[in-house]
Amino acid sequence: MALSKLQRRTRIKRRIRKIISGTATKPRLSVFRSNKEIYAQIVDDVNGVTLASASSRDKGIKASSKVEAAAAVGKAIAEIATKAGLEKVAFDRNGYLYHGRVKVLAEAARESGLKF
């Protein structure tokens, strides 16, 4: 029997999280994509702390399309991270394909100064 989309994504997510873990020196940039919004947060998994977060629901982010919103969130999370003194992060696509909004967010964060 075929897996549902959620079950498939959960399997991929578990496989990714076996390898990627955030530390204080190189935290994890986690992306969550809903049908309407996109969220990003930088997490230190060792201490269990969220260091920075941004989403398309934030007041300063205005976009006409979901792709533009993803680019704005990528830029915003990179700016917040550099202010917090973070330069390198491990990118966690959270089980989503590296395509579309997830890819746009990652590329915008890279262009704004984050290193993956």
Side-chain angles (χ1 to χ4, degrees):
M1 196 151 121
L3 296 174
S4 71
K5 279 186 180 182
L6 184 62
Q7 289 171 326
R8 180 180 173 278
R9 188 178 144 249
T10 305
R11 273 194 185 178
I12 295 168
K13 184 177 175 176
R14 270 192 261 132
R15 192 168 56 229
I16 291 169
R17 291 285 285 122
K18 276 193 274 186
I19 300 165
I20 296 175
S21 180
T23 62
T25 56
K26 189 174 180 181
R28 176 173 57 95
L29 172 61
S30 179
V31 175
F32 176 73
R33 184 196 69 181
S34 71
N35 286 336
K36 192 174 179 184
E37 311 288 347
I38 192 158
Y39 307 85
Q41 62 181 354
I42 298 178
V43 182
D44 176 5
D45 291 315
V46 175
N47 298 320
V49 177
T50 298
L51 305 172
S53 66
S55 77
S56 57
R57 298 185 69 185
D58 291 346
K59 296 270 187 214
I61 295 177
K62 302 257 189 253
S64 60
S65 70
K66 292 191 274 189
V67 174
E68 287 177 14
V73 170
K75 187 175 179 182
I77 195 75
E79 289 172 4
I80 294 167
T82 51
K83 284 181 186 173
L86 302 170
E87 189 176 295
K88 292 184 99 178
V89 295
F91 186 70
D92 176 13
R93 58 190 175 90
N94 214 359
Y96 302 109
L97 295 177
Y98 188 76
H99 177 77
R101 290 188 284 155
V102 174
K103 184 177 179 181
V104 168
L105 187 145
E107 289 174 351
R110 271 194 204 104
E111 288 171 7
S112 297
L114 275 184
K115 293 185 176 121
F116 297 165

